[in-house]
Amino acid sequence: MYNLVATCMDPIVQIDCEGTIRLANPACCKCFQYEESELIGKNITMLMPEPYATQHGNFIKNYLRTGNAKVMNKDSKSGGRKLPALRRDGTTFPMFLTLTEAVVEGEKVFTGIMRNLSAEEEEKQTLLAMHGLLESSIDPIVQISYDGTIRLANPACCKCFQYSDSELVGMNICMLMPEPYSSKHAQFIENYLRSGIPKVVEEGRKGRKLPGLRRDGTTFPMFLTLSESVINGTKVFTGIMRNLSAEEEEKQTLLAMHGLVKSSIDPIVQINDMGIIRLANPACCKCFQYEESELIGKNINTLMPEPYATKHDQFIANYLKTGIPKVVERGRKGRKLPGMRRDGTTFPMFLTLSESLVNGEKVFTGIMRNLSAEEEERQILAAMIDSCIDPIVVITTQGEIERCNPACTNVFGYTKDELIGGNITMLMPEPHATIHQQYIDKYLNSHKRARSNSEGSESKIVGKGRDVSGKRKDGSEFPVFLSVSEFQINSFRKERHGFIGIMRDMSEKERAIAAEVEKGKSEALLMNVLPHHICERMKECTDDHEHMQIADAFDNVTILFADIVGFTKFASHRSPMEVVHYLNRVFRNFDVLVGKYNLEKIKTIGDAYMAVSGLDNKTGNVYKMIKFSLEMLDVVEKLNNGIHEDGKHTFGVRIGLHTGSVVAGVVGTKRRFFDLWGDAVNIASRMESTGVENCVHCTKSVAEVAMKHSSEFLVVPRGNIDIKGKGQMETFIISTAENQKAITNILKMHSAARRRESYLIHQKLGKEFNFDSSEIAENSIFSKYSALACSFLAGGITAALILKSSKR
């Protein structure tokens, strides 16, 4: 009876004639928010609101004097009343109270069974008012006649068995039973009515576990209690059923939990209040190197090193006596402790403890996490951090330094003890040091708002990198590149929130960058003065550059000299700024062409320009130099069109080319420059000085290459020219058919003594191509044809003029 009261889901309380509480079951304590010790011996009015609390004493006195019950009906089987109740926190709730009167040890007592109607009052208030306690029962209730016909089925019954009320009332109860109970039920009733001996629920038993059958054919476990009564002279049986499906599921859950304990990778051990091991899962046995049979029945201190092993029994005794834990404090989720294996070795573990009652016995269950691997990883990570050459610091959200590596102490000049526990602002110059905590608070607040609004938050430094300044112990400042990351650890041990900063001392890097910039400027300047291959050789040389000698011989290079005609006269009437401005425009355009054809500019002297091709020992250097020289003529022509508004000052250019062997090298120690020497250089210079304005004057070695490209170039023999230091040399003029000025100058170069020969040539061309000789004389022919190859017969030299792609 005590066990039934203790396990009853409904609050039960027993009082004496004075209203003093003699008994209160756990459901009553939980419902009213009191401990049992706080109720026993107190007056029942503490559980009543006004006016019931004040009037309750009179209710009992009146009942004892008159026998007239106000709350308790005389027929206790149907007695009960809805009343308000008062919890410890002062809140009230509706309850349904049934009272019974009994004599215990000669003393009259009253037992009240209460049903908390809070949920029903809120959700089913109308239904409860209409159908009463029976209709509101959470347990299925059915009432049948002696022949098994269903007279009543409450909503819980209909719901449980999946029928409506109309589908059950009038039908036989066997429809709610699976076989073999369904076939035998009528015989059970008949036998009972004849003999009075129950078969389903034997005498003395409170009930019986039986299967029930739902409408869909599924069965479920239920606990059935039966009562017999007579209504209007008819014998009826009332059955109250408790659906045990949830309990069965709980049982299965317990079985699953048992399996979970067995299969857990974490060691689990359970001990009684004497420290004796009751349970040890396989992971525990494996971790501590014992068999299960070697642990069960042994004291838990077997698994502890000193001093814990000696003190553990006292820990338990003190806890049982005072209720104050020592190993695992209240509010803590667990604690890191050492464990001891069978072989005597120890290892770090994290222990969580829980306390419970099993069969009335207090037990403690410990779940352990072997931290050996984590400790090893922690040590490896610590070693990595300590060996990092960049300073690393870990701080809290209050800026307190929790950890720093040796590089941090070396760079900032502090010892580790001086940094740990200090504020990170000690490593910052002003004004950042003063307002640093404001940065942190602003960041944390913005992220808190962002999380509550489910939005992102932009940070200026966390998760990124930034150039800042650091401050050493001696007060000196230095550039630092800082990257910051945030960490938040919510482990089973404790919660941590802070920031990790990784810094790089940029002092050396800035110096290196500055040096690299200066080196780049020097190399760029050197590249402007010397050819690329010479610069590379000078960089590779480890000797003193001032005494370094570079000299190379080249067998086949093409040298160009160009001179601006009329520039001296122009310069005499112009300001220095105008003179330099014009020369700069011309030579800058020439330099662009040098890059276009991959040539080497040697130097400029006054208004003269010198370049060479073939220093790279690649073929085609003569062709490239011819193309370059002809484009130089075009550059000067375009500049002439835009320089002088009055049109009186235009410039021409003489260009000389020659191919031959030279010596190239770097000379001097001050303002060193690259130059060429040799007979080929002198001849190229003579070609320029004896050349024709706006034409390219060259030697035979150059002309022969140009003749191979007759579709592009116009090659005109000039005859033998007296060259200083060389005597008579055969030279040529190179131009293009489109270069009208060049052709004009070619014609003008013939003396009056040879006009007759030129006239004959004109006549011959006119007859051969059906031209008027005046067209040639006026030079208009050269603007009408895409290519012209010409040679002259003058002074014994044969001239032939060939026109290609002739179209009018």
Side-chain angles (χ1 to χ4, degrees), residues 425-468:
T425 54
M426 64 193 296
L427 307 181
M428 301 176 186
E430 293 296 345
H432 303 288
T434 301
I435 59 179
H436 183 260
Q437 190 57 44
Q438 296 179 24
Y439 293 154
I440 296 179
D441 294 340
K442 182 178 179 181
Y443 169 79
L444 295 175
N445 291 333
S446 65
H447 273 244
K448 185 177 180 181
R449 290 194 300 271
R451 284 192 295 269
S452 63
N453 296 330
S454 300
E455 298 175 354
S457 178
E458 182 84 15
S459 170
K460 292 184 177 180
I461 189 167
V462 175
K464 302 177 182 179
R466 187 177 180 182
D467 290 312
V468 297

Side-chain angles (χ1 to χ4, degrees), residues 135-186:
E135 293 295 316
S136 64
S137 173
I138 62 173
D139 291 331
I141 300 175
V142 65
Q143 191 178 81
I144 63 173
S145 62
Y146 64 91
D147 60 355
T149 301
I150 300 174
R151 293 164 49 91
L152 177 149
N154 71 340
C157 180
C158 298
K159 182 178 179 181
C160 183
F161 287 92
Q162 302 173 350
Y163 289 96
S164 66
D165 181 70
S166 60
E167 291 175 313
L168 288 177
V169 175
M171 305 301 291
N172 196 282
I173 190 64
C174 63
M175 68 185 295
L176 305 182
M177 303 175 186
E179 293 294 346
Y181 303 97
S182 177
S183 302
K184 298 179 179 180
H185 186 261

Side-chain angles (χ1 to χ4, degrees), residues 281-455:
N281 71 340
C284 180
C285 298
K286 181 178 179 180
C287 181
F288 287 92
Q289 303 173 347
Y290 287 95
E291 296 292 333
E292 183 180 11
S293 58
E294 295 177 307
L295 290 177
I296 303 300
K298 299 294 193 301
N299 196 288
I300 190 65
N301 58 21
T302 304
L303 309 181
M304 301 175 186
E306 293 296 344
Y308 302 96
T310 303
K311 297 179 179 180
H312 187 261
D313 288 343
Q314 190 61 44
F315 289 156
I316 296 179
N318 290 339
Y319 171 70
L320 294 175
K321 180 179 178 181
T322 64
I324 301 174
K326 293 291 186 180
V327 176
V328 181
E329 293 81 0
R330 292 187 187 277
R332 293 188 60 177
K333 298 177 180 179
R335 184 175 178 182
K336 185 178 177 181
L337 292 168
M340 185 173 71
R341 301 185 183 93
R342 181 174 191 163
D343 61 10
T345 58
T346 60
F347 63 96
M349 68 176 184
F350 191 82
L351 171 66
T352 58
L353 280 178
S354 63
E355 178 184 352
S356 59
L357 287 175
V358 177
N359 298 325
E361 182 183 11
K362 186 173 289 189
V363 296
F364 302 93
T365 302
I367 301 177
M368 295 160 275
R369 172 69 58 86
N370 189 338
L371 301 180
S372 301
E374 295 179 24
E375 187 68 19
E376 183 178 350
E377 289 180 5
R378 188 193 66 78
Q379 292 177 1
I380 292 173
L381 180 60
M384 291 173 61
I385 293 174
D386 288 345
S387 62
C388 183
I389 61 174
D390 290 328
I392 299 176
V393 65
V394 180
I395 66 170
T396 66
T397 53
Q398 298 301 314
E400 180 182 344
I401 300 174
E402 288 187 333
R403 180 174 187 142
C404 63
N405 66 340
C408 185
T409 59
N410 293 337
V411 168
F412 287 92
Y414 288 95
T415 65
K416 185 176 181 179
D417 291 339
E418 289 174 321
L419 289 177
I420 300 300
N423 197 281
I424 189 65
T425 54
M426 64 193 296
L427 307 181
M428 301 176 186
E430 293 296 345
H432 303 288
T434 301
I435 59 179
H436 183 260
Q437 190 57 44
Q438 296 179 24
Y439 293 154
I440 296 179
D441 294 340
K442 182 178 179 181
Y443 169 79
L444 295 175
N445 291 333
S446 65
H447 273 244
K448 185 177 180 181
R449 290 194 300 271
R451 284 192 295 269
S452 63
N453 296 330
S454 300
E455 298 175 354

Side-chain angles (χ1 to χ4, degrees), residues 21 26 54 56 87 108 160 232 297 339 365 388 401 415 455 471 520 530 540 549 603 651 653 682 750 807:
I21 299 173
T54 304
H56 186 261
R87 298 188 184 94
K108 186 175 289 189
C160 183
N232 297 326
T365 302
C388 183
I401 300 174
T415 65
E455 298 175 354
K471 186 178 77 172
L530 300 173
E540 292 173 0
Q549 291 188 351
K603 59 187 173 183
F651 300 99
V653 61
N682 296 329
H750 299 288
K807 290 184 180 180

